[in-house]
Amino acid sequence: MNETQIKTQKFIIKYFTEIMIKGTTAKRQMISQVYNNLVNILSKISKDIKVRKFFDKVEVVCPIEVVAEVRMRLLDTPGIQQILEAVQFDNMNTLDDIKVVVNETMAHEIQGKTFVVRCKRMGTQEFKSTQVEQTVGGYMLAMNDTKGVALKGAEYTINLELEFAQLNVITHKHMGMGGFPIGSQGSILSLMSGGFDSTVASYLTMKRGIKTHFIFFNLGGIAHEIGVKQVAYYLWNKFGSSHRVQFISIPFDDVVTEIFKSVSEPYMGVMLKRLMLMASEKVADTMSIDALVTGESVAQVSSQTLRNLALIDQATNKLVLRPLSMMSKPDIIDIANKIGTTRFAESMPEYCGVISKNPVTHGNYERTASEARRFDYTILDEAVKNSAFINVDEMDQNISEIGQMEVISDLSSGDYTVIDIRQSDDCIETSVETLKIPFYKLKSEFKKLPQDKEYLFYCEKGILSQLHAQFLRDAENYTNIKVYRP
C-alpha cells in the first residue's frame, strides 16, 4: 500500500438508537451534546484531532499515533451506539484506484474465507455502488487465496463508504456504551460509599446522560475518604470527563456517635440512611440539583425492604433514584467487573452495615417518627456546615498512595496494649492489656489514654482498624498506633 495515500485514521460514530427516535428538537440538542462532549474529551488528547458533526453520525479524524487512546475514549463515551474504524483515502477518482487500496488494506482478512464487498456511496461519481462492489470483489478474488465470493452468508464482509472522492475502508466495528450524552439530562448527586452498589449506580446515571456529582459521608477517616475519592475519580475520568463535577465529603463520625446515644438499636440503620438523605438534600439545594441517587437494591439488606425504603424516603423532598432496585448482587458485580470498579469495591468497607444490631426489617412509621424526634439535628447541621467541596478533576493524582499502618501479629515483640474497636459487646482475649473502645468512640476516648504506650487496634477483618488507625495518625498526629492481626 502506498503509505502517502493514508492521511489519517478515521472513526465514524453512530448515535445511540434512542437519540434517533426523538423529536426533531430533542434529537438536535442531543446530537449537539454528543459533538460538544467529544470535542471536549478529545481535545485533551491532541489538538490535531478533527471532529465533524452530521445528522446521522460524527466523524473523528485523528493522527495514527493517538488511535488507541481515541478508541478507548469513544468506547467509554455515553451517547454512542456504534464505532466504525476506517482507513481514509483521498483522491479516489477511479475504480482502479479504489480496488488497489482496498485489496492492500483488507486482503489479510479474507484469506481462506468466503467474502463479499458492500459499498455505501454519497456524492457524484462516474460509477455506481454495485460497480464498486463488483470491481473490488473481482480484483480481490483474483489476487487472493479465498473460498470465493458469497453474496449471502459470507464469512467476511468488506464495508466501504465513498463520499465524493474520499474512500473509507471500514476495518473494525465496535459497540459503544449507548445511553444519552452527559449534560442532556440534568444533574444528580450520588451517595457514594465506594462499594459495588454505589459505583454501579453512579455509572448507570452517567450512562443515561446525567451529570453525576458525588457525596461521601466520612465514617472511616482519611484513608476511607481517599479510597472513595479514588473510585470517584476513576468513574469521572473514564465515563464523564466531558463535564466538571464535584466531590463533597461530609464528616459523619459525630452524627454516628449521636445515633448511638439517641436511637434504639433496631432503628440505627434506617436512621443513618435518613440522615444521609437529609444532609444530601441540603447540599443538593445549594447546587440546584433536583435528584439523588443511591445504590440500594430491594431486600439486599435490612434497611432496603420496601417498608424501610419508604421510611427512609420520608426524610427528603428530593427525588431519590435507585437504578439497582431490582438487580441481584451477581448482576451488580457483573457490571462492576465490566466497568472496572471491582478492584476498588473489594477493598472498601460497608459502613452502613456496621451500625445496626438486630435491625428492624419492617419499620413502624410512628416508631420511626419517635426515634427521629430524639436525634439532635444541630449535629447534622454542623456536619453539613463542615462539608468539603472539591472538583473531581482537581483531586490529587496520588490519592492511591496512602500510607498503610504497620501490622503486628506477635504480641511478645513489644510492650503493647490492644484496643478492640468492634461495636459488639465482646472483647478479644490476649496475653497483654486489652481495652474495649468501639470505633465510634475512638475520636473522643483515645486522647484520654496515656500516650507513652504503644496501642494496637483490633477488628475481625482488619479493615476498620486500618482506617481508624490511619485517621488518628493523620488527623490527630498520633504516632503510637499500629494494627493487631492475630
Side-chain angles (χ1 to χ4, degrees), residues 246-295:
Q246 290 189 303
F247 183 97
I248 303 97
S249 176
I250 299 184
F252 236 51
D253 45 351
D254 289 341
V255 173
V256 171
T257 300
E258 175 62 19
I259 289 175
F260 275 94
K261 285 172 53 180
S262 62
V263 178
S264 301
E265 281 190 354
Y267 281 81
M268 286 180 177
V270 170
M271 192 65 182
L272 177 62
K273 294 290 184 68
R274 284 170 60 94
L275 292 166
M276 287 179 172
L277 288 188
M278 293 172 69
S280 298
E281 179 178 26
K282 293 175 184 293
V283 172
D285 283 341
T286 67
M287 300 173 69
S288 299
I289 290 176
D290 296 322
L292 311 174
V293 63
T294 78

Side-chain angles (χ1 to χ4, degrees), residues 30 33 180-189 205-206 208-213 243 245 288-291:
M30 289 190 182
Q33 190 71 66
F180 293 127
I182 289 181
S184 65
Q185 305 301 317
S187 297
I188 204 165
L189 189 58
T205 57
M206 297 166 77
R208 202 59 182 169
I210 305 174
K211 183 178 176 181
T212 303
H213 301 268
H243 287 72
V245 301
S288 299
I289 290 176
D290 296 322

Side-chain angles (χ1 to χ4, degrees), residues 302-351:
S302 61
S303 65
Q304 295 174 19
T305 62
L306 286 180
R307 169 57 64 85
N308 286 353
L309 290 173
L311 293 173
I312 291 166
D313 277 5
Q314 282 187 326
T316 180
N317 291 317
K318 294 290 182 185
L319 171 65
V320 181
L321 299 183
R322 294 182 172 91
L324 312 186
S325 59
M326 301 302 164
M327 289 189 188
S328 68
K329 198 68 175 185
D331 293 336
I332 296 167
I333 292 174
D334 284 346
I335 297 175
N337 288 333
K338 174 185 173 183
I339 65 177
T341 57
T342 296
R343 70 178 188 269
F344 301 102
E346 285 177 336
S347 61
M348 205 71 63
E350 289 286 353
Y351 278 93

Side-chain angles (χ1 to χ4, degrees), residues 3 6 17 20 24 32 39 42 77 81 119 156 198 290 307 310 348-349 377 427 450 456 460:
E3 296 293 340
I6 301 180
T17 306
M20 301 309 292
T24 303
S32 294
V39 169
L42 299 179
T77 298
Q81 181 74 19
C119 179
Y156 192 86
S198 62
D290 296 322
R307 169 57 64 85
M348 205 71 63
Y377 290 94
C427 183
L456 307 181
E460 289 175 347

Side-chain angles (χ1 to χ4, degrees), residues 260 265 354-357 420-428 435-441 458-460 464:
F260 275 94
E265 281 190 354
V354 171
I355 196 166
S356 281
K357 186 176 181 180
D420 188 334
I421 71 168
R422 295 174 296 170
Q423 72 177 69
S424 58
D425 294 332
D426 58 314
C427 183
I428 186 175
L435 305 176
K436 179 69 179 183
I437 305 178
F439 72 90
Y440 56 89
K441 291 185 177 179
Y458 168 78
C459 68
E460 289 175 347
L464 283 174

Side-chain angles (χ1 to χ4, degrees), residues 23 41 52 59 131-132 169 182 276 295 309 410 426 473:
I41 293 167
R52 292 199 302 161
E59 289 187 352
Q131 291 177 278
V132 176
V169 181
I182 289 181
M276 287 179 172
L309 290 173
D410 181 8
D426 58 314
R473 188 188 73 175

Side-chain angles (χ1 to χ4, degrees), residues 136-204:
V136 173
Y139 183 78
M140 295 187 74
L141 180 64
M143 298 295 292
N144 297 282
D145 181 15
T146 73
K147 290 163 59 177
V149 173
L151 298 181
K152 293 184 178 180
E155 295 176 77
Y156 192 86
T157 300
I158 297 172
N159 291 290
L160 309 177
E161 292 189 1
L162 183 64
E163 185 173 357
F164 294 96
Q166 182 184 92
L167 177 69
N168 295 309
V169 181
I170 309 302
T171 56
H172 297 90
K173 291 184 179 182
H174 310 280
M175 292 304 297
M177 67 181 291
F180 293 127
I182 289 181
S184 65
Q185 305 301 317
S187 297
I188 204 165
L189 189 58
S190 175
L191 281 67
M192 175 69 91
S193 70
F196 285 102
D197 301 339
S198 62
T199 54
V200 171
S202 299
Y203 159 77
L204 291 175

